[in-house]
Amino acid sequence: MPFQKVQPEKLSTSVVRQIEQLILRGVLRPGERLPSERELSDRLGVSRPSLREAVAELQDNGLLETRAGSGVFVAEVLGNAFSPALIRLFAAHDEAVFDYIAFRRDIEGLAADRACRMASDTDLQVIDTVFKRMEAAHPKRNPAEEAAIDADFHMAIIEASHNTIMLHMLRSMFDLLREGVFYNRNVMFKQRTTRDDLLEQHRAINTALQKRDPAAARAAVTAHLDYVETALRDEKRALRNEVVARQRYQHERER
């Protein structure tokens, strides 16, 4: 029969598997620096030659990169989910913006549901910590800071869902959101009433997650993104009306 003796796994192979898993699960993020060789070999309990062999293999596989004088980093393995031409197309058309929000509503609702059932206590603590940062930032009225924490909050929920494909796909898409490809999130945080509403919506999401209530968490995410969609539609309508009024005024002056 075609059985073969089981061979002990090389230490470097075990290191490769562990680092691959950390990258796959999103624990090690693109661009993140690994600990020094001495520290990492101590943490992993392997010799430096074994660690160097593992790092070399991960570099050959495109998962790690060495930067002269800086150390070893996780490679930018995510890239863009879309081509530059498609990104420019998204940015130029409202239809893509609202399709993006609808996509987020479905996927993040599912992520919140999964997080309630599958997140560890540590995962939920991370989400709660990000929400507390959000509360602390609220009185400062710094739109850029609040928008950044908002993205961190939603990504923490996706990470807590423990679905690696969802995690890497939405990380790439959130990078586009941070860059303002779909809409300028900072604008939303400049309005006092909107800011207050958004904080309470995030509170409702966090409360449902901490209670591990999947239905309530999904409903809170849906309500939040419904609100975002309505606010954006109102903002775009106001801008269009402003442009029309300006054109009308210019036309009257030229008559």
Side-chain angles (χ1 to χ4, degrees):
M1 297 184 71
F3 292 112
Q4 297 180 358
K5 288 185 178 181
V6 175
Q7 299 296 323
E9 191 172 62
K10 289 172 58 180
L11 285 177
S12 62
T13 302
S14 296
V15 172
V16 167
R17 289 182 187 277
Q18 187 172 155
I19 293 176
E20 284 179 340
Q21 284 291 325
L22 292 173
I23 294 172
L24 182 65
R25 293 170 183 168
V27 178
L28 285 174
R29 303 180 179 223
E32 185 171 345
R33 183 181 182 277
L34 266 60
S36 68
E37 185 180 275
R38 174 187 289 179
E39 183 182 352
L40 192 53
S41 63
D42 286 345
R43 285 194 197 181
L44 293 169
V46 299
S47 66
R48 291 195 188 185
S50 291
L51 177 60
R52 289 186 198 120
E53 188 177 343
V55 168
E57 182 175 340
L58 289 163
Q59 286 177 316
D60 289 342
N61 293 340
L63 294 174
L64 296 181
E65 60 184 18
T66 300
R67 299 177 190 171
S70 299
V72 179
F73 294 77
V74 178
E76 295 292 342
V77 291
L78 287 185
N80 284 324
F82 310 103
S83 69
L86 194 55
I87 290 171
R88 289 192 295 271
L89 190 62
F90 287 158
H93 292 271
D94 289 352
E95 179 183 356
V97 172
F98 295 114
D99 281 349
Y100 172 71
I101 294 173
F103 176 80
R104 279 189 61 193
R105 187 162 43 225
D106 293 341
I107 294 297
E108 291 188 43
L110 174 62
D113 182 300
R114 284 178 58 89
C116 287
R117 294 181 286 105
M118 305 187 72
S120 66
D121 291 342
T122 300
D123 291 328
L124 294 181
Q125 187 177 359
V126 168
I127 294 169
D128 190 53
T129 298
V130 177
F131 177 70
K132 284 182 169 59
R133 283 173 50 211
M134 191 180 289
E135 284 186 310
H138 191 68
K140 300 177 187 175
R141 299 184 179 181
N142 181 330
E145 181 181 7
E146 288 185 284
I149 298 172
D150 174 87
D152 290 344
F153 180 79
H154 287 276
M155 276 309 308
I157 296 170
I158 292 161
E159 289 168 357
S161 73
H162 292 286
N163 183 300
T164 56
I165 302 301
M166 185 186 297
L167 168 64
H168 290 286
M169 179 178 67
L170 289 185
R171 253 195 201 156
S172 180
M173 294 190 71
F174 262 84
D175 285 345
L176 297 181
L177 184 62
R178 290 177 196 271
E179 293 165 13
V181 168
F182 292 105
Y183 57 91
N184 189 339
R185 295 158 67 252
N186 290 3
V187 172
M188 296 191 70
F189 285 97
K190 286 181 180 177
Q191 304 171 38
R192 186 184 63 80
T193 303
T194 302
R195 289 175 60 253
D196 292 345
D197 289 342
L198 290 172
L199 180 65
E200 291 310 310
Q201 290 159 22
H202 288 112
R203 188 188 310 281
I205 296 170
N206 185 51
T207 298
L209 287 166
Q210 301 304 324
K211 291 180 178 179
R212 293 186 180 273
D213 185 337
R218 188 187 282 261
V221 168
T222 298
H224 167 57
L225 287 166
D226 282 347
Y227 179 91
V228 170
E229 179 176 348
T230 299
L232 277 173
R233 288 190 186 278
D234 290 345
E235 177 193 325
K236 289 181 181 294
R237 190 180 303 113
L239 286 172
R240 281 194 297 269
N241 291 340
E242 184 180 332
V243 169
V244 169
R246 200 177 297 132
Q247 290 173 340
R248 216 175 265 160
Y249 173 73
Q250 186 65 29
H251 179 70
E252 289 296 327
R253 287 192 61 184
E254 291 173 356
R255 288 177 63 182

